[in-house]
Amino acid sequence: MFLLAATGGLAEAFTIFKLPNGGRLELFPVGRWALSSEDVGELKIVLMPDSPKINARAIYSVATEGSDDFPTDAKLQEQMYRVAERILSSGDFVERKPVIKPFYPPKGFGYYAVMTDRKMVGLPPKSGEYKFFMLGMIRLAPSVYLKVQIMADHEEGEPYQQLLGMAEGAVYTPPR
């Protein structure tokens, strides 16, 4: 297991990650985020704000092993709908039906759903508790998926948009 950590912000940290399959993932820094990463059979990258005034975080996981379960745009969209539907059935979120939105990666395709935490509606932001939860997946290449989770106070806010943009802009380079 390895761990990379940056205290200054993502712009000063490593942005190219070696993957278990021998490929690479490159993230393009937007804003200032502290990050940690570890290899737990798949690469897990955690992004935390470098300022206590920002209440958002993200987890990106890169799966490079296994079968290509969602080889088409339609299959991945259907899978994200089913996952979001299952999460919403808990009753913990405001939405009754999933709204699936597309990612626009440079290569590949992906989808995500944003859900609103029912207990946070109407309350002011509180550090470590998030009003919005986003869950998505981008197919970067056959059998290579970027799983994305973003937690934030505002879907339109700059922290959320930065984290979404970094996930959407991730570039996968296959092993040589």
Side-chain angles (χ1 to χ4, degrees):
M1 182 181 331
F2 66 93
L3 180 67
L4 301 173
T7 56
L10 190 57
E12 294 134 17
F14 298 104
T15 57
I16 297 176
F17 300 92
K18 292 181 181 177
L19 301 175
N21 73 344
R24 298 181 337 197
L25 179 76
E26 185 172 0
L27 292 179
F28 296 93
V30 179
R32 293 183 51 86
W33 296 88
L35 87 106
S36 64
S37 68
E38 62 182 316
D39 182 345
V40 291
E42 61 183 42
L43 177 67
K44 178 181 172 184
I45 304 167
V46 178
L47 293 123
M48 298 290 290
D50 72 347
S51 167
K53 294 179 182 180
I54 297 172
N55 194 40
R57 67 184 293 235
I59 301 170
Y60 306 154
S61 299
V62 186
T64 59
E65 303 296 324
S67 60
D68 193 16
D69 295 330
F70 313 108
T72 67
D73 193 280
K75 286 187 183 225
L76 184 55
Q77 183 177 20
E78 183 181 307
Q79 172 65 10
M80 283 310 309
Y81 187 89
R82 283 194 307 264
V83 169
E85 194 172 47
R86 192 169 50 244
I87 292 170
L88 292 177
S89 72
S90 71
D92 294 335
F93 297 94
V94 171
E95 295 80 9
R96 293 175 189 240
K97 289 197 172 241
V99 175
I100 305 301
K101 300 177 182 184
F103 280 111
Y104 297 101
K107 289 185 180 176
F109 50 86
Y111 291 93
Y112 66 96
V114 179
M115 295 159 263
T116 310
D117 187 335
R118 184 178 302 285
K119 71 180 183 289
M120 296 300 294
V121 173
L123 297 177
K126 184 177 176 185
S127 183
E129 294 186 24
Y130 309 99
K131 184 175 180 179
F132 292 97
F133 171 69
M134 183 272 261
L135 181 67
M137 190 176 342
I138 299 171
R139 182 182 184 270
L140 299 169
S143 300
V144 180
Y145 293 92
L146 177 64
K147 302 172 201 172
V148 181
Q149 297 176 47
I150 299 174
M151 290 72 66
D153 291 329
H154 305 285
E155 188 178 358
E156 293 80 24
E158 187 174 355
Y160 175 88
Q161 292 299 317
Q162 289 176 349
L163 295 167
L164 178 65
M166 282 188 278
E168 201 167 55
V171 173
Y172 170 70
T173 303
R176 296 177 196 237

